[in-house]
């Protein structure tokens, strides 16, 4: 797999309209995009779907990549947003297929691993907070980006990232029914 400098160079070329660079970029980042999506979605098929959506969003939006942040940081944001969107779409689809039978509020521990159930609860909690707050907590706590990386990506001061993260964590903990922290 190409190193970060090679990836950034491919991204800049693709952003300028080079189709060969875009193709090489998509092939190079697919494993990382899948890994990022799998941090949110517990089932491989769902993570694959989110990965495909991430790569499609990347291909469609590469001309908007300005290089203010590293390409990898930008990819993290795309993957986080696409994984959350995929989860919402899966929940809607499941509700429609349930034909009026209400979905459980929490994952069924008899059918879902503890890790998978926790991720599903977390995705539900993300949907219960403002999108700007959910994005910050996803980028920091799920994908592990640093405060400066998040600030650069969102074009806000580091202090804003920290305050949003504090508020988001508080709201997510409330939604999850935990009072620790």
């Amino acid at each position: 797999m190409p190193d970060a400098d090679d990836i950034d160079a491919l991204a800049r070329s693709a952003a300028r309209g080079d189709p060969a660079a875009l193709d090489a970029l998509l092939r190079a980042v697919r494993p990382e995009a899948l890994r990022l999506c799998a941090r949110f979605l517990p089932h491989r098929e769902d993570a694959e779907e989110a990965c495909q959506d991430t790569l499609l969003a990347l291909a469609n939006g590469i001309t908007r990549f300005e290089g203010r942040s590293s390409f990898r940081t930008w990819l993290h944001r795309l993957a986080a947003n696409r994984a959350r969107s995929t989860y919402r779409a899966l929940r809607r689809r499941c509700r429609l297929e349930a034909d009026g039978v209400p979905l459980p509020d929490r994952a069924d521990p008899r059918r879902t691993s503890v890790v998978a159930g926790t991720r599903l609860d977390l995705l539900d909690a993300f949907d219960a907070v403002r999108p700007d707050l959910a994005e910050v907590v996803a980028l920091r706590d799920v994908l592990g980006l640093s405060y400066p990386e998040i600030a650069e990506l969102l074009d806000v001061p580091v202090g804003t990232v920290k305050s949003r993260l504090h508020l988001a964590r508080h709201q997510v903990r409330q939604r999850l029914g935990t009072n620790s922290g």
Side-chain angles (χ1 to χ4, degrees), residues 109-140:
R110 293 168 298 182
R111 292 197 210 150
T112 308
S113 75
V114 172
V115 171
T118 301
R119 281 191 257 171
L120 295 175
D121 290 343
L122 185 61
L123 286 165
D124 284 337
F126 284 168
D127 277 349
V129 301
R130 286 189 343 232
D132 61 322
L133 299 179
E135 183 171 40
V136 169
V137 77
L139 292 171
R140 176 73 182 155

Side-chain angles (χ1 to χ4, degrees), residues 93-107:
R93 193 179 317 150
C94 190
R95 280 190 183 108
L96 290 173
E97 290 172 1
D99 198 28
V101 176
L103 295 175
D105 286 335
R106 296 201 166 263

Side-chain angles (χ1 to χ4, degrees), residues 2-151:
D3 67 15
D5 290 338
D6 293 338
I7 295 288
D8 282 343
L10 282 173
R12 285 190 301 276
S13 293
R16 289 190 301 267
D18 180 346
L22 177 59
D23 187 51
L25 179 66
L26 291 171
R27 279 195 317 276
V29 301
R30 187 185 187 292
E32 185 172 0
L34 179 58
R35 182 179 54 77
L36 294 170
C37 291
R39 285 188 179 175
F40 287 93
L41 298 162
H43 300 290
R44 177 144 181 109
E45 297 83 13
D46 300 340
E48 287 274 358
E49 184 176 330
C51 177
Q52 291 303 317
D53 288 347
T54 300
L55 296 176
L56 181 61
L58 188 161
N60 289 334
I62 192 64
T63 58
R64 291 188 303 275
F65 175 65
E66 299 169 355
R68 284 185 295 131
S69 61
S70 76
F71 174 77
R72 240 186 200 100
T73 302
W74 192 69
L75 177 64
H76 279 74
R77 184 180 193 186
L78 278 178
N81 289 336
R82 292 290 130 220
R84 289 175 30 232
S85 294
T86 297
Y87 178 72
R88 284 191 296 274
L90 290 168
R91 284 241 352 144
R92 277 192 306 276
R93 193 179 317 150
C94 190
R95 280 190 183 108
L96 290 173
E97 290 172 1
D99 198 28
V101 176
L103 295 175
D105 286 335
R106 296 201 166 263
D108 183 347
R110 293 168 298 182
R111 292 197 210 150
T112 308
S113 75
V114 172
V115 171
T118 301
R119 281 191 257 171
L120 295 175
D121 290 343
L122 185 61
L123 286 165
D124 284 337
F126 284 168
D127 277 349
V129 301
R130 286 189 343 232
D132 61 322
L133 299 179
E135 183 171 40
V136 169
V137 77
L139 292 171
R140 176 73 182 155
D141 292 345
V142 179
L143 298 182
L145 293 182
S146 70
Y147 295 119
E149 287 174 318
I150 297 168

